[in-house]
Amino acid sequence: MDRTLTLAEPKLFIERMLIDGVWRDAGNGATIDVTDPATGARIGRVPDATAADTEDAIRAAEKALEPWRRRTAGERAELVERWHSLILTHVKDLATIMTAEQGKPLAEAEGEIRYAATFVKWFAEEARRVRGHDIPAPTPDRRILAMKEPIGVCAAITPWNFPAAMITRKCAPAIAAGCTVVVKPSDLTPYSALALVWLAEQAGIPAGVINIVTGMPEAIGATLTASPVVRKLSFTGSTRVGSLLMRQSADTIKRLSLELGGNAPFLVFDDADVDTAVAGAIASKFRNAGQTCVCANRILVQDGIHDRFVAKLGEAVRAMKIGDGRDQGVTIGPLINAAATAKVMAHVDDALSHGAVTAATAGGYGDATRFVTPVVLTGATTAMRLASEETFGPVAPIFRFTHEAEAIEIANATPFGLASYFYTDDLHRAWRVAERLEFGMVALNTGTIAMEMAPFGGIKQSGLGREGGQEGIEEYLETKAFHWGGLKLDR
Ligand code: SIN
């Protein structure tokens, strides 16, 4: 273990995979390095699972399925609730691990652990509320039931930007529903996932119900998608990889949940409350240094409020503190790696070369290969890369507009349809715009939309299915029509 990671419970730092209740290395002993994005220093090494290791994990999940699904919903819920309370017991350590491998400031990491825990609690409760229904039959001697059953063995492939919350948002509903899981965390942030899975084990969730394989994605993803045993795949990540996994899953006709890329518009109308809009823009745009699929990517501001909004947003951005997430008062950490930094800087350079103007920055930080200074750009246009591509960094481009219809047209002019935000105090406009925005999530006068009780997901090339809310557990259930005929009811 790296001695710089000081944990109250050192057992949370794990460099092995859990398969069938056994913590083990890759069959061939291969490992990958995991580095700290703030310093570039190696944190440690985790197994680089082979296809054979992944098959072991699938077999373990298959073996554990029958006894797990036969437990009552209440029994499963109790174990999942125990997992929830253990996560909260270890919130500080889990945040320390997350900041080390992902970079987000400690306070934000702690916020993510608490957010991750809400899914565990919510789905423990939802386990008890799974309901089928009965259907009026066409003849007196027949009964028809629509019964809910767990899908079976599920695979979860999770991203680096939310190393804890995306694990719990997938695994908690799966196991609450009676499914078993093979989870593959991002190769960049495996330690948070390993710690969470260890806590699930400590909570008493039986061997094989949650298995975790770490390493590079190609062999693991190909094995999970090719397996006929795996009945469902849930993935959060890019549209490019989502589409690849969808193709790979076609031969086995898997159920898919795909949370993919976004290009969220953030509309501010003249009649909006400027302070509320600025607070929302900060929350939406700069969470996790702008590395979320639901980040405001295009900020569209109407003429009459434009200058006031830009001035206040600039003030808030200038007050941000960029640096190592472990340092006091830091609000913006490093980006995940040099490739991410290069892409964000390319978007900024492209915008400046097309006439954008820097309205405010947060002030620099030493290492420009890891850190990007938050910036507000005015004069953004649809000719710029940041209008059509997800920037995934702390860049706030302001597009100016005059008419409502023009703003809606620009907002919808994207193949993505994940999150959208708008600010107005006109209730007629509120309905009009909410109904016209073509996105899976529409937020009025708030910059936050991710929470356990609400369905989260996109349309168009942003994906399939919903996570969270009552929909979240449905994704792990099949409906079985049970027809009972020839009933002798007249005796
Ligand atoms: C994301 O996947 O980037 C968003 C996750 C969240 O907001 O929960």
Side-chain angles (χ1 to χ4, degrees):
M1 173 179 164
D2 179 359
R3 297 296 154 204
T4 61
L5 259 190
T6 306
L7 303 175
E9 175 48 274
K11 288 188 187 142
L12 285 165
F13 185 82
I14 299 164
E15 300 200 287
R16 292 185 156 189
M17 319 183 277
L18 183 67
I19 298 176
D20 204 8
V22 177
W23 290 95
R24 49 167 270 197
D25 296 324
N28 64 3
T31 58
I32 54 164
D33 287 353
V34 183
T35 57
D36 178 334
T39 62
R42 196 179 70 201
I43 302 170
R45 293 190 177 101
V46 295
D48 188 10
T50 60
D53 299 326
T54 309
E55 274 157 15
D56 288 348
I58 295 170
R59 265 192 300 278
E62 186 180 26
K63 188 174 80 178
L65 179 64
E66 200 52 30
W68 181 245
R69 61 177 288 176
R70 292 289 157 229
R71 293 209 185 196
T72 65
E75 283 169 344
R76 289 197 302 269
E78 227 166 82
L79 291 173
V80 178
E81 274 179 25
R82 233 182 270 163
W83 186 24
H84 168 255
S85 66
L86 284 178
I87 294 172
L88 292 184
T89 302
H90 295 284
V91 70
K92 295 276 181 212
D93 279 350
L94 292 169
T96 300
I97 292 170
M98 189 185 300
T99 296
E101 67 178 354
Q102 202 278 339
K104 64 182 69 176
L106 265 178
E108 202 174 335
E110 187 172 326
E112 184 186 333
I113 298 300
R114 293 188 188 284
Y115 170 51
T118 64
F119 291 112
V120 182
K121 176 88 172 144
W122 172 263
F123 286 112
E125 292 161 349
E126 285 294 282
R128 302 175 199 264
R129 297 183 199 127
V130 168
R131 287 191 178 88
H133 56 279
D134 67 341
I135 297 155
T139 57
D141 66 343
R142 177 184 288 255
R143 296 292 178 269
I144 308 173
L145 298 179
M147 303 195 315
K148 293 291 178 181
E149 297 188 342
I151 287 188
V153 173
C154 299
I157 301 181
T158 61
W160 52 262
N161 59 345
F162 289 89
M166 299 305 101
I167 298 286
T168 58
R169 194 154 79 179
K170 297 179 192 310
C171 292
I175 66 172
C179 299
T180 56
V181 188
V182 178
V183 56
K184 190 246 170 265
S186 165
D187 49 291
L188 302 173
T189 56
Y191 290 118
S192 298
L194 289 163
L196 286 168
V197 171
W198 184 75
L199 289 174
E201 187 188 35
Q202 303 310 300
I205 291 169
V209 171
I210 303 182
N211 306 275
I212 179 165
V213 286
T214 56
M216 299 308 289
E218 290 76 13
I220 302 172
T223 308
L224 290 172
T225 49
S227 170
V229 174
V230 175
R231 297 303 322 129
K232 186 212 162 87
L233 168 69
S234 178
F235 168 73
T236 297
S238 69
T239 296
R240 185 187 63 78
V241 174
S243 139
L244 171 71
L245 292 169
M246 198 171 181
R247 278 196 297 278
Q248 290 179 341
S249 297
D251 287 343
T252 51
I253 319 284
K254 287 191 205 321
R255 181 97 78 90
L256 294 172
S257 293
L258 301 173
E259 300 291 351
L260 308 178
N263 181 0
F266 186 104
L267 280 53
V268 184
F269 290 99
D270 282 348
D271 50 37
D273 178 83
V274 70
D275 293 319
T276 308
V278 168
I282 295 291
S284 165
K285 175 69 255 182
F286 294 100
R287 175 175 172 231
N288 199 14
Q291 301 172 109
T292 85
C293 305
V294 291
C295 270
N297 203 53
R298 299 166 292 153
I299 302 178
L300 282 65
V301 187
Q302 202 164 13
D303 290 328
I305 197 171
H306 179 275
D307 293 354
R308 276 181 297 139
F309 178 85
V310 169
K312 291 198 171 204
L313 185 66
E315 216 174 284
V317 165
R318 275 189 286 271
M320 289 176 175
K321 187 170 171 201
I322 180 167
D324 187 315
R326 286 158 288 227
D327 293 344
Q328 193 67 27
V330 163
T331 50
I332 300 281
L335 298 195
I336 190 68
N337 55 25
T341 309
K343 179 186 173 192
V344 175
M345 288 319 298
H347 276 201
V348 173
D349 292 343
D350 172 75
L352 293 173
S353 74
H354 283 84
V357 172
T358 302
T361 69
Y365 185 79
D367 186 344
T369 62
R370 303 178 202 287
F371 293 86
V372 171
T373 302
V375 60
V376 179
L377 299 173
T378 51
T381 69
T382 53
M384 297 170 183
R385 280 182 67 187
L386 43 66
S388 54
E389 296 173 30
E390 211 174 7
T391 302
F392 239 61
V395 179
I398 312 291
F399 299 69
R400 192 175 183 132
F401 72 90
T402 303
H403 303 293
E404 180 183 303
E406 173 197 358
I408 291 170
E409 193 181 328
I410 297 171
N412 287 338
T414 166
F416 300 103
L418 190 59
S420 58
Y421 309 82
F422 71 106
Y423 283 74
T424 179
D425 278 349
D426 175 333
L427 67 91
H428 304 285
R429 171 175 276 156
W431 277 107
R432 227 170 27 237
V433 176
E435 290 182 3
R436 288 179 189 168
L437 285 172
E438 295 166 1
F439 294 84
M441 294 171 284
V442 178
L444 167 63
N445 294 341
T446 175
T448 53
I449 50 169
M451 48 202 75
E452 77 279 14
M453 66 288 286
F456 183 105
I459 60 172
K460 296 158 82 178
Q461 291 182 28
S462 290
L464 303 169
R466 293 294 179 268
E467 295 189 310
Q470 66 188 59
E471 290 82 355
I473 200 162
E474 275 295 326
E475 299 275 336
Y476 294 90
L477 295 166
E478 292 284 14
T479 301
K480 178 184 276 179
F482 178 42
H483 293 254
W484 187 334
L487 281 171
K488 300 182 175 65
L489 299 170
D490 293 336
R491 291 180 171 174

